[in-house]
Amino acid sequence: MKRMLTGLTAVAAVGLAWAGPAAAEGKLNIYNWGNYTNPELIEKFSKEYDVEVTLDGYDSNETMLAKVKEGGTGYDIVVPGDYMIQIMIGEGLLAEIKPNEMENFKHMDPKWVDVWWDPGRSYSVPWQWGTTSFTVDTEVYTGDIDTLALLFEPPPELQGRINMLNDMNDVINAGLRYLGYPRCNGDKDQLKEVTELLLNAKQYWRTMDYSTIEKLTSKDVDLSQNWNGAAMRARAQRPTLKYAYPKEGFTGWMDNVAVLSDAPNMENAKLFVNFIMAPENAALISNFARYANGIKGSEAFMDPEMLDAPEINMPADAPTPDFVKPCPQETVDLYNKIWTRLKQ
Amino acid sequence: MAEIADTALSDNRLADAKRLHEARATRTRRFLLSPAILTIGIVGLFPLTITMIYSVLSPGTYGGVTWELSGEAYIQFLFERDIFDDTLTFSGSYLQIYGRSIGLAFVTTIGALLIGFPTAYFIASKPREQRNLWLFLITLPFWTNLLIRTYAMLLIIRDEGIINLSLMGIGIVEQPVSILYTDTAVFMGLIYSYLPFMVLPLYASLEKLDFRLVEAAYDLYANRLQVLRRVIIPMAKPGIVAGCILVFIPGLGAYITPELLGGGKHLMIGNLIALQFGSSRNWPFGSAAALILMAVVMVALLVYIRNAGKEGARHG
């Protein structure tokens, strides 16, 4: 889930103090994925509500959870992924701020209201959502790209030219889909088959890394597992790249804005949650990081090249993105063993 | 009489003043040392204690720990527990990762020694006023961040990098030579990063080398190999040992270089430990793995110190 990392950007603390003529009325501390927040959005919010905003970055859901669990972080806003929202509600870390009673809630696309991680939206609102699939150079490989076979049993021209994400869940889930087995799988026989599939496919992979854009644009690889926004950014520099919608299925994910239960600036946090549901503000978020946002009417304010991008607009016949739920600890333990064996 | 009493009095006063002075010096010393001791205590021992405690607890559901004593983290390192009947079978996965890291650190150390020794000897044999310039050149790479230097390396050796483009331009090779994302690339990166740590201590001991001893050896009909083996190397030994330790230990825990240049297909110790605190959600095992690494390093150092001590006694 380190999709926002373009390289090894460490946690970067960026203080965006709004230099107003008078002292700001209040404060707001945001803890979001690195390189994911549009500075224009923050500036606009500061001006409108006279609030001094600070922004910190993290590189994985688990890093954020570990820090928040310790308590007393001083953060008001966090932006966890779907499964992490469910975990944090269960652990009592999020405040029930009732976005569904806020003024701008009417702008939210109805399909994102009754989601499994926050049914009815009592805790969180969409930040951005996307898919995890892969990108292929259609000049190098001219056949049908919409199949996971390209990752696990690649044709000769792609062998040794593949980058997989360095992510246990993304790699194992792709393997499970290719073999037609369910996700969060505790069945040892099926997992054994997946392990053999992965171990055999590894000889065709050149790298396992998060920096997908750089790997593709430098021509180190011709195929990379990828997130749709990153795929769009890579295509801008290497126009022959194409984002695949494999028939076996692919992962969908959504990052959501939520407020911590021990937030020091609760009222400002609620203002911010309402603020980003306004279409013109949601569009600012998307224009920066290149993912869709889940707010109706935001298209009118988005960059034109995003509106017809094949990475953002799925073809009608593509499978529905699969939003994978958190797996039980026994399954995570099994996945760990597979992952260690794969990389030993 | 009065004179004697006077002298005694002044003696006393002198002793008093001396005691006072010593007490003050001790106080000053303690005061001046306290930042270092506090720093070591807070950023060294305190986290280490936490790591030790965490390693014998049970993993929490979503990261963190639960306060239940358990030796599972250490058992897991060597054995795999069967899901159904709870039996333990030996598993070499983690040992293999440790083995690879230790092997790579070892090869890097040898490589750095082979390159670093002639370099240090060359600098030490230069006239005194030129040596500082050479040393300055050796330390120059430290002015740039390690991450940046590793990225630069990546740009140089990649398929469409400077080396391959020029080789293809001259016509020596048709297809680019694949160096990046192999063990060779990691090895090159590690040597490049740690070479100064080898050269500097080697230089420090070679600088003190009395070249008259080398001349004496030649006078006694030693050939060049014998001079190197019997005279120069024994005298440079403290530098060799210090250099090897300074390269081996950071090489063992290297994280960025294998990650960037190795392509991430194989886990190294550093990456294995990081994984346990992230998506693996097993902090106790991460702590145990870190402590096991530390134990390996400490045992190696203790063995060295004991041997060095014995040797010192024999020479003495």
Side-chain angles (χ1 to χ4, degrees):
Chain A
M1 294 292 266
K2 295 188 186 167
R3 68 187 81 95
M4 300 359 151
L5 273 188
T6 42
L8 276 174
T9 25
V11 176
V14 187
L16 288 167
W18 162 240
E25 275 212 357
K27 292 187 170 182
L28 182 69
N29 302 318
I30 300 175
Y31 193 33
N32 194 357
W33 299 79
N35 191 16
Y36 203 33
T37 318
N38 191 342
E40 281 175 50
L41 178 85
I42 301 296
E43 198 172 317
K44 189 176 172 198
F45 179 76
S46 312
K47 261 187 209 168
E48 222 166 291
Y49 295 97
D50 198 14
V51 167
E52 191 185 316
V53 179
T54 57
L55 179 64
D56 270 2
Y58 53 85
D59 63 0
S60 75
N61 278 312
E62 283 73 18
T63 311
M64 183 270 298
L65 177 70
K67 203 161 174 183
V68 167
K69 257 180 126 175
E70 298 295 315
T73 53
Y75 295 126
D76 303 298
I77 299 271
V78 285
V79 190
D82 37 54
Y83 74 97
M84 190 51 73
I85 288 279
Q86 194 188 43
I87 291 173
M88 290 179 82
I89 293 175
E91 302 267 300
L93 295 169
L94 298 182
E96 194 173 358
I97 49 166
K98 291 275 173 205
N100 42 20
E101 291 164 10
M102 287 180 183
E103 190 197 338
N104 283 335
F105 189 74
K106 58 179 187 283
H107 297 298
M108 197 194 292
D109 189 330
K111 78 171 178 182
W112 296 116
V113 174
D114 264 318
V115 287
W116 58 259
W117 56 91
D118 183 11
R121 293 285 184 183
S122 298
Y123 292 87
S124 65
V125 303
W127 173 262
Q128 293 189 103
W129 72 276
T131 55
T132 310
S133 170
F134 61 90
T135 304
V136 194
D137 188 327
T138 47
E139 211 163 62
V140 176
Y141 177 71
T142 46
D144 172 31
I145 64 164
D146 289 333
T147 168
L148 288 174
L150 296 191
L151 301 181
F152 299 110
E153 281 155 298
E157 56 266 46
L158 288 174
Q159 289 176 6
R161 305 289 302 162
I162 296 172
N163 174 56
M164 298 293 281
L165 290 173
N166 195 9
D167 186 296
M168 184 170 84
N169 290 313
D170 282 328
V171 171
I172 293 178
N173 283 336
L176 286 167
R177 284 191 191 104
Y178 184 56
L179 296 176
Y181 295 143
R183 262 63 66 202
C184 274
N185 198 324
D187 184 314
K188 289 191 88 182
D189 290 331
Q190 296 185 352
L191 284 183
K192 199 164 174 240
E193 249 181 89
V194 171
T195 310
E196 277 156 16
L197 177 77
L198 297 179
L199 284 175
N200 178 55
K202 192 186 171 191
Q203 59 179 308
Y204 305 125
W205 301 342
R206 187 167 198 202
T207 51
M208 298 177 80
D209 198 350
Y210 283 114
S211 54
T212 61
I213 299 178
E214 193 226 346
K215 288 270 176 309
L216 287 164
T217 54
S218 67
K219 299 199 174 167
D220 277 347
V221 296
D222 299 319
L223 183 157
S224 175
Q225 259 197 318
N226 215 350
W227 309 281
N228 59 334
M232 186 178 166
R233 279 148 85 169
R235 180 169 56 87
Q237 294 176 61
R238 193 174 166 184
T240 47
L241 292 178
K242 199 172 168 203
Y243 189 65
Y245 290 98
K247 59 177 190 288
E248 298 90 346
F250 49 89
T251 300
W253 49 264
M254 174 174 265
D255 290 324
N256 309 264
V257 173
V259 179
L260 292 177
S261 48
D262 63 351
N265 311 294
M266 187 59 82
E267 288 317 304
N268 287 339
K270 286 181 185 169
L271 280 178
F272 186 76
V273 169
N274 188 50
F275 174 79
I276 60 155
M277 284 191 284
E280 64 272 25
N281 299 332
L284 281 179
I285 299 174
S286 294
N287 284 340
F288 182 78
R290 298 295 186 202
Y291 296 95
N293 56 54
I295 298 295
K296 277 183 303 173
S298 64
E299 300 81 12
F301 303 93
M302 278 179 359
D303 292 343
E305 69 259 34
M306 280 197 72
L307 298 177
D308 50 8
E311 292 88 355
I312 314 290
N313 302 286
M314 256 178 268
D317 58 344
T320 320
D322 171 18
F323 286 73
V324 184
K325 297 187 182 184
C327 304
Q329 188 61 43
E330 303 83 69
T331 311
V332 174
D333 287 343
L334 286 170
Y335 281 19
N336 274 328
K337 279 182 190 160
I338 296 175
W339 191 245
T340 312
R341 193 169 302 170
L342 183 64
K343 298 187 74 173
Q344 79 185 20
Chain B
M1 255 327 246
E3 219 173 71
I4 294 165
D6 241 18
T7 326
L9 202 67
S10 69
D11 267 1
N12 260 340
R13 240 185 248 147
L14 215 73
D16 274 351
K18 205 175 162 194
R19 252 199 311 278
L20 211 70
H21 180 75
E22 267 171 9
R24 196 177 297 145
T26 314
R27 263 206 308 280
T28 316
R29 251 202 312 274
R30 279 189 192 146
F31 175 73
L32 288 176
L33 269 177
S34 60
I37 291 172
L38 270 177
T39 311
I40 292 171
I42 292 170
V43 307
L45 294 178
F46 187 58
L48 189 61
T49 315
I50 295 179
T51 313
M52 282 162 112
I53 296 172
Y54 274 19
S55 75
V56 291
L57 296 176
S58 308
T61 319
Y62 299 113
V65 288
T66 47
W67 288 86
E68 273 170 47
L69 275 185
S70 158
E72 194 64 31
Y74 291 94
I75 297 171
Q76 194 190 338
F77 188 77
L78 286 179
F79 302 99
E80 207 166 332
R81 196 178 279 283
D82 194 279
I83 302 285
F84 298 115
D85 56 12
D86 222 33
T87 51
L88 290 172
T89 46
F90 181 77
S91 151
S93 292
Y94 299 119
L95 279 185
Q96 201 172 335
I97 293 168
Y98 273 61
R100 178 184 312 109
S101 298
I102 290 170
L104 192 66
F106 184 75
V107 174
T108 303
T109 310
I110 300 294
L113 182 62
L114 290 179
I115 301 174
F117 195 89
T119 315
Y121 188 85
F122 169 79
I123 299 174
S125 61
K126 287 275 138 190
R128 192 166 290 276
E129 58 277 10
Q130 285 181 24
R131 291 180 196 167
N132 279 341
L133 174 71
W134 288 105
L135 282 181
F136 169 75
L137 290 177
I138 292 285
T139 51
L140 202 59
F142 283 127
W143 292 24
T144 315
N145 179 289
L146 174 66
L147 191 56
I148 311 270
R149 279 186 283 147
T150 311
Y151 261 112
M153 191 85 169
L154 192 142
L155 294 179
I156 294 170
I157 62 177
R158 78 170 8 143
D159 291 2
E160 302 207 340
I162 299 166
I163 292 185
N164 272 317
L165 284 185
S166 23
L167 281 180
M168 285 189 287
I170 306 167
I172 297 179
V173 291
E174 295 267 303
Q175 291 291 314
V177 188
S178 273
I179 314 170
L180 193 55
Y181 311 128
T182 61
D183 285 347
T184 315
V186 180
F187 172 68
M188 284 166 75
L190 286 176
I191 290 219
Y192 171 52
S193 312
Y194 297 134
L195 193 58
F197 293 125
M198 181 61 89
V199 172
L200 294 176
L202 278 177
Y203 166 76
S205 54
L206 283 173
E207 185 206 31
K208 294 194 211 84
L209 183 77
D210 190 343
F211 279 91
R212 286 175 302 183
L213 292 173
V214 177
E215 283 162 22
Y218 281 127
D219 286 347
L220 295 168
Y221 297 105
N223 61 30
R224 293 168 76 162
L225 193 69
Q226 282 171 322
V227 171
L228 183 70
R229 275 185 48 226
R230 307 282 291 272
V231 181
I232 299 177
I233 290 181
M235 295 189 65
K237 206 177 164 199
I240 294 175
V241 171
C244 288
I245 291 175
L246 283 179
V247 172
F248 184 76
I249 292 177
L252 202 52
Y255 178 80
I256 291 173
T257 315
E259 189 89 353
L260 282 181
L261 299 179
K265 274 174 79 180
H266 299 291
L267 281 173
M268 294 287 166
I269 297 178
N271 316 71
L272 174 73
I273 294 171
L275 186 67
Q276 303 309 317
F277 291 90
S279 50
S280 294
R281 304 185 203 152
N282 196 339
W283 292 21
F285 182 62
S287 306
L291 287 174
I292 290 168
L293 172 64
M294 218 176 86
V296 171
V297 172
M298 280 200 11
V299 166
L301 280 181
L302 283 176
V303 167
Y304 158 69
I305 289 169
R306 178 162 299 175
N307 283 345
K310 268 189 204 145
E311 217 162 86
R314 201 168 59 225
H315 285 306

